[in-house]
Amino acid sequence: TQLLEQSPQFLSIQEGENLTVYCNSSSVFSSLQWYRQEPGEGPVLLVTVVTGGEVKKLKRLTFQFGDARKDSSLHITAAQPGDTGLYLCAGPSLGMLTFGGGTRLMVKP
Amino acid sequence: GAGVSQSPRYKVAKRGQDVALRCDPISGHVSLFWYQQALGQGPEFLTYFQNEAQLDKSGLPSDRFFAERPEGSVSTLKIQRTQQEDSAVYLCASSEARVGGRETQYFGPGTRLLVL
């Protein structure tokens, strides 16, 4: 079974601060996805990283896939209250998605 | 273009009661997935369908859980004799293509089940 571990589990920061969320596994994944989930809603896909060492940027969000394709990180620059939510990493495994436990981010104004 | 819809959005059941959760995938999507998300956790895979065929049900926690997609569109997840540990959010997702590639899964809002 491929497992994904996310850290930290909880993060509470002030508006304008930077933060990094980590997603680690002992297994190699063909790709990794990052989702954001708001209360009462399903996860929404932010990005898919495919190539080892790949870096993708989405406005203030920067996603990186580790060279060995076992880990990934999400960096948010100048966080805003609208970034508040549950951030999930997920990897495909025999068709279904294996999710990490999530990082719950709260950005205070 | 409607997204994935699920009903009911909230369900309160007494322990021992049977429940049925419905998922309407995006029209034309071949693959349909069910996940269970416990409070404060990431979603965990339950089962998936390709059209009407249930190709993997390895994530169903017990034989009290049963899923079907008889016409390859709408799916129902049924839980018999509910237990308190069944309390969770049940998420449905659909994707356009057959499982195996990097197809994006689109998630519904989930059904929050509370078993008292």
Side-chain angles (χ1 to χ4, degrees):
Chain A
T1 304
Q2 293 180 302
L3 296 175
L4 287 168
E5 292 189 2
Q6 287 187 241
S7 61
Q9 284 186 287
F10 302 97
L11 197 52
S12 180
I13 61 172
Q14 292 296 133
E15 181 177 3
E17 292 183 9
N18 301 332
L19 67 118
T20 302
V21 174
Y22 300 93
C23 174
N24 296 294
S25 175
S26 57
S27 303
V28 174
F29 281 89
S30 59
S31 63
L32 276 180
Q33 299 178 333
W34 284 92
Y35 290 80
R36 180 162 156 253
Q37 185 177 22
E38 298 193 42
E41 299 297 327
V44 175
L45 181 65
L46 296 174
V47 78
T48 301
V49 286
V50 176
T51 306
E54 181 178 6
V55 176
K56 280 191 174 179
K57 291 192 175 182
L58 188 66
K59 296 183 181 178
R60 293 177 293 100
L61 278 60
T62 301
F63 304 86
Q64 186 162 6
F65 201 12
D67 290 341
R69 291 186 288 130
K70 291 183 178 181
D71 55 86
S72 181
S73 63
L74 159 59
H75 182 79
I76 301 179
T77 304
Q80 299 177 0
D83 296 327
T84 293
L86 178 67
Y87 289 82
L88 296 159
C89 66
S93 176
L94 300 176
M96 78 288 286
L97 289 173
T98 297
F99 282 88
T103 294
R104 190 164 298 279
L105 171 65
M106 177 174 291
V107 182
K108 302 175 192 173
Chain B
V4 178
S5 61
Q6 293 186 243
S7 61
R9 292 293 311 274
Y10 303 92
K11 177 68 179 178
V12 179
K14 292 183 179 179
R15 189 164 58 92
Q17 197 175 356
D18 297 349
V19 298
L21 313 179
R22 177 187 169 107
C23 172
D24 284 81
I26 294 173
S27 178
H29 276 197
V30 169
S31 298
L32 184 146
F33 306 81
W34 284 98
Y35 294 86
Q36 180 190 58
Q37 186 174 24
L39 188 64
Q41 303 293 321
E44 291 191 357
F45 169 77
L46 293 176
T47 184
Y48 86 79
F49 294 83
Q50 194 163 282
N51 296 308
E52 69 278 3
Q54 188 175 18
L55 298 188
D56 189 334
K57 54 181 181 179
S58 61
L60 296 176
S62 78
D63 58 8
R64 296 185 295 103
F65 287 70
F66 171 77
E68 60 183 6
R69 194 187 185 197
E71 297 179 359
S73 178
V74 171
S75 177
T76 304
L77 176 67
K78 297 178 180 178
I79 309 174
Q80 297 177 323
R81 305 181 304 281
T82 52
Q83 304 293 316
Q84 287 185 322
E85 62 262 29
D86 300 334
S87 296
V89 174
Y90 290 85
L91 295 166
C92 175
S94 69
S95 70
E96 190 172 4
R98 296 177 185 278
V99 167
R102 301 191 189 104
E103 301 82 13
T104 298
Q105 293 186 22
Y106 297 89
F107 284 82
T111 294
R112 185 175 299 274
L113 173 65
L114 177 62
V115 181
L116 302 176

